[in-house]
Amino acid sequence: MGGARDVGWVAAGLVLAAGACYCFYKLTRGRRRGGRQLRLRPSRSAEDLTSGSYDDTLNAEQVQKLLYLLESTEDPVIIERALVTLGNNAAFSANQIVIRELGGIPIVGSKINNPNQSIKEKALNALNNLSVNVENQIKIKVDSSFLSLLDGHVPKEILLRALTLLQNITNCLNEEHRLAAQPTFPEGSLFSLLYGKECAQKMKALVHHHDADVKEKVTMIPKNW
């Protein structure tokens, strides 16, 4: 009888142990599953964000990383990739605000003075998307050097993008000041630059540009000269 009782206790112990192991397995497995479901996307480095395989919309932290990268690196490949990523994300209105609030517009704008033609082009692309937002236009500090992009000898792709930026800004300004015969702008501002005599002379010259696409783009810009 004693032996049978001992065997019964052993069997019961094995059952309890097996049950405990199963419960522990279910608990840890559930945690792993829950972790997969609730886990945030792992943080990406700034260089990762410039990868051509990264197509997601950026959050504010990621935008800040890219802006820091633009300011801190001199590698033309990384600069170009960062501008492409920012430009693509600037196509969304929410990101246009985020980039502005993080001080990104002057950083992007400074790259149009880069001697690398491809970087100029990518910077203008990003500014074109950002300039769709009226509040962003106030932050764009394109100085007298911007007018040099409107010369007839400038490569076509850069010239077309500079004209697109001019078109975005003048369209918004004409809408805002449609009731004013002659809108006034602060001295030294981007708006006074684009409505100044030098810009007017360059636009008149571009009407006779040898490239049909350039001439067509000029005719699409509201005439302020």
Side-chain angles (χ1 to χ4, degrees), residues 97-146:
I97 297 172
V98 170
I99 294 172
R100 179 184 74 237
E101 292 180 344
L102 290 175
I105 294 177
I107 296 173
V108 174
S110 68
K111 300 306 176 185
I112 67 172
N113 294 322
N114 194 293
N116 185 305
Q117 298 298 306
S118 185
I119 289 177
K120 283 181 184 288
E121 181 182 329
K122 302 304 186 299
L124 285 167
N125 278 341
L127 286 176
N128 285 336
N129 286 339
L130 288 166
S131 67
V132 174
N133 183 297
V134 177
E135 292 184 41
N136 285 353
Q137 296 179 4
I138 301 173
K139 299 291 184 180
I140 298 177
K141 306 296 182 183
V142 182
D143 55 21
S144 57
S145 64
F146 174 79

Side-chain angles (χ1 to χ4, degrees), residues 45 146-147 169 179 184:
S45 70
F146 174 79
L147 294 181
I169 292 173
L179 300 179
T184 58

